[in-house]
Amino acid sequence: MAWFYLLIAGMMEVVWAVALKLSDGFTRPLPAAVVVVAGLLSLLFLALAVRHIPLGTAYAVWTGIGAVGVALIGILYFNESRHFWRLFFIGLIVVGVMGLRLSGDGK
């Protein structure tokens, strides 16, 4: 269940980061509210996950999910660069997150 909580935490990390962009510097109330709620949910689920997953592993996976998710949304919806090397290094983050999950460093 801890890994499921960590996945939710990572997805909420993506939500708040995208909402931050959409809030236009906190000038748009609805996206700004989403930033706050999703940010709190992200931290809540991270806190639940670290009860059973080592902190270093959980934090690395949490930030990895957030970084990859936000990068992919940036590419798909905000017309950010699709350059080969950018995609390659995003792929390395994915491999690192998978490696941490498969390494058995958590329960």
Side-chain angles (χ1 to χ4, degrees):
M1 194 66 166
W3 284 98
F4 180 69
Y5 290 150
L6 190 54
L7 177 63
I8 293 171
M11 291 187 320
M12 289 296 102
E13 185 82 355
V14 174
V15 170
W16 81 254
V18 173
L20 185 64
K21 177 166 179 65
L22 297 175
S23 77
D24 195 29
F26 285 98
T27 60
R28 300 180 59 216
L30 182 59
V34 171
V35 170
V36 172
V37 171
L40 289 172
L41 286 171
S42 181
L43 290 173
L44 170 69
F45 282 103
L46 177 62
L48 293 172
V50 297
R51 288 179 174 173
H52 302 284
I53 300 171
L55 178 60
T57 299
Y59 187 75
V61 171
W62 178 61
T63 57
I65 291 170
V68 169
V70 171
L72 291 178
I73 287 175
I75 289 168
L76 295 172
Y77 295 103
F78 298 114
N79 201 31
E80 293 180 3
S81 170
R82 292 170 169 80
H83 188 271
F84 169 81
W85 288 111
R86 183 166 195 241
L87 296 175
F88 175 79
F89 289 114
I90 290 170
L92 287 180
I93 295 170
V94 171
V95 170
V97 167
M98 290 171 44
L100 287 170
R101 172 61 180 108
L102 296 174
S103 71
D105 197 16
K107 296 173 181 60

